[in-house]
Structure formats: C-alpha cells, structure tokens
Amino acid sequence: MRVFNFDHAIVRRPCRNVVDGLRSDATAEPDFEGIVREHDTYVAALEGAGLIVDVLPPLEAFPDSVFVEDPALVFPEGAILLRPGAPTRLGEREEMRAPLHQRFEQVLEIEGDDEYADGGDVLVMSDIVLIGLSKRTNRKGAQALCEKLARLGRKAKIVETPKAVLHFKTAVSLLDEETVLATRTMADSGIFAGYKTVLVPEGEEAAANALRVNRVVLLGAHFPRTMDRVVKEKYAVAAVDVSEIGKLDAGLSCMSLRW
Ligand code: CIR
C-alpha cells in the first residue's frame, strides 16, 4: 500500500500567539514573521508536490494550533479525532471536529478522559501503523487508537518513543515503503529491523522529521549533511526552511494532515 501518495492536505495558519507555543528550549525565541514566512513556504511546497491544500483560520486561543498533525489522523477511508496529551493543546481537538466532518464521511473519536494520543506519535507504514508511547501519548490512548484504526482496516502496533524525544516521528520518517530516515537512537531501537535505514548524521537529529509527499521528500533546509545523504540515495528532495518553527520543536510532518 502506497502511504505517501496524497492529493489533499489541511493546514492551519499560525496565530500571533504561536510564539508562546510549547518548546523544550526556552532560550530560542521564535519570530512571528519568520514563522508566517516559513508556513507560506511549506504550503507552497505541499502544493508543488501536487496537493490541494485547505488553509484553516488561525486560533489565538491555541498557540500550538498550527501543528494540525497532533489533534487528528486522516486516511482516505476516514479520520480519527485524537486527544492531544499536552493540557494546553487538548482543546485543539474540538476545533478540528467540523473541518473533519466537512471532508470525511467517517470520523471516529478517541473519547476516554484518560486516553491521550498525539498524531506526531503515529507513523503510518504500508503494512502497519506504529504508535509511539511518549509524554503525549499514553498506553490507554494508544490502545484506543489501535481499536479505531482496526475499524478503518489498519493494523497497528504500540512501540516506545526514545527518551527525551518529543514525538515518535521527531526521530523517524518514511522515505518509501521499505526505507526510513532515522536518528541513530531510533535505528538502534530495533523497531525498524527489516527496513532499510538512512541515518541522519550526528548533530542533525531534528532532520529526521522529514515528509515524503508523492515523488518528493520535504526536508529541513538547515540540515545540509542529511540532505546530501538523502539525495545520494536518489530521492527527489525539496528543501523547506523550518528553522523558526523548529524553535517550537516542529519539523515537516506536524504542520499538515494529508490524505
Ligand atoms: C508541541 O510541543 O506540541 C509543539 N510546540 C510542537 C508540536 C510538533 N508536532 C509534531 O511534531 N507532530
């Protein structure tokens, strides 16, 4: 099953408060204008890869709402509304409900008060969906998600996210059906034994959150050594600047939902 062939995406414009979003490095001050510029470039890159991109309006009440990947999961056959694990982000789920119902016939929901799952912890592979347990995704949330995925005909497996990594996909992304781009720690976890692995060089760990869309791999422009490696493997690469948004612990997958 081709898991990187898409024709649609949803994104949300960054709100002014985006600079107050959650971040692990309090010393790196993100710049609003820079984030807006990067977001525009990101949308253009998705369009350049062949997608029709729907842009949702900004939500000032939710600084991190530009990261639409976390409150939902979408497939051609239906969508799943998640429960983001950060308290400041849980309300983003309600804001995603109407946009999903407008676009998908089937919208399933994780509902339990003690169930948490972020889309950033979900890696959709051709034969299985991997759900990483993390500070944002707990076991109950992951189990509830497995059950919803089964209803959409998808097999899922719960795995561990390496410690000190925000989301499972912070450390790994798909280059094609058989190949992942991963940090050394993720590669050493054994989760991807049986897959070909392209390693991100030491010092460029954040580059592991790349995004394969149709023929092209979107990759952070400020990771030249990773770029070299991926190009050498004969992938078509589009360099997208995410250095400002990166200060909020974001990469290439988190700013869109794709199907
Ligand atoms: C957060 O900490 O939730 C945001 N500042 C960054 C979310 C990035 N999301 C993702 O990688 N899926």
Side-chain angles (χ1 to χ4, degrees), residues 21-23 64 67 69-70 86 89 118-121 136 166-167 169-170 209 248-251 253-254:
L22 299 169
R23 60 194 151 111
D64 283 301
F67 306 119
E69 178 179 67
D70 293 319
R89 302 202 56 192
D118 271 21
D121 284 318
R136 304 287 177 88
L166 173 62
H167 285 125
K169 274 189 299 195
T170 308
N209 184 257
L248 293 158
D249 302 327
S253 72
C254 50

Side-chain angles (χ1 to χ4, degrees), residues 212-230:
R212 173 80 193 257
V213 181
N214 299 329
R215 279 190 55 259
V216 68
V217 178
L218 309 192
L219 203 60
H222 50 304
F223 302 116
R225 290 181 294 141
T226 307
M227 191 87 64
D228 278 355
R229 283 194 187 176
V230 176

Side-chain angles (χ1 to χ4, degrees), residues 83-171:
R83 285 177 45 85
T88 56
R89 302 202 56 192
L90 186 56
E92 291 175 30
R93 154 196 170 88
E94 296 312 317
E95 303 289 345
M96 199 48 87
R97 187 186 304 272
L100 293 183
H101 278 281
Q102 281 156 15
R103 292 165 180 82
F104 296 91
E105 258 178 46
Q106 183 164 211
V107 180
L108 306 175
E109 295 190 21
I110 287 181
E111 279 156 330
D113 282 350
D114 52 357
E115 296 168 357
Y116 295 101
D118 271 21
D121 284 318
V122 182
L123 181 67
V124 179
M125 319 244 339
S126 51
D127 52 345
I128 198 145
V129 178
L130 297 179
I131 307 168
L133 299 175
S134 72
K135 289 214 170 81
R136 304 287 177 88
T137 297
N138 65 5
R139 192 165 289 278
K140 285 191 172 168
Q143 280 163 345
L145 183 51
C146 285
E147 187 201 304
K148 307 298 171 201
L149 285 164
R151 284 176 55 189
L152 294 179
R154 303 264 169 169
K155 241 175 49 187
K157 185 175 167 192
I158 300 173
V159 292
E160 293 288 337
T161 297
K163 295 224 172 344
V165 171
L166 173 62
H167 285 125
F168 187 69
K169 274 189 299 195
T170 308

Side-chain angles (χ1 to χ4, degrees), residues 167-190:
H167 285 125
F168 187 69
K169 274 189 299 195
T170 308
V172 65
S173 47
L174 213 63
L175 290 177
D176 61 35
E177 290 96 335
E178 292 102 30
T179 315
V180 292
L181 176 68
T183 62
R184 161 66 66 193
T185 314
M186 185 60 96
D188 287 350
S189 71

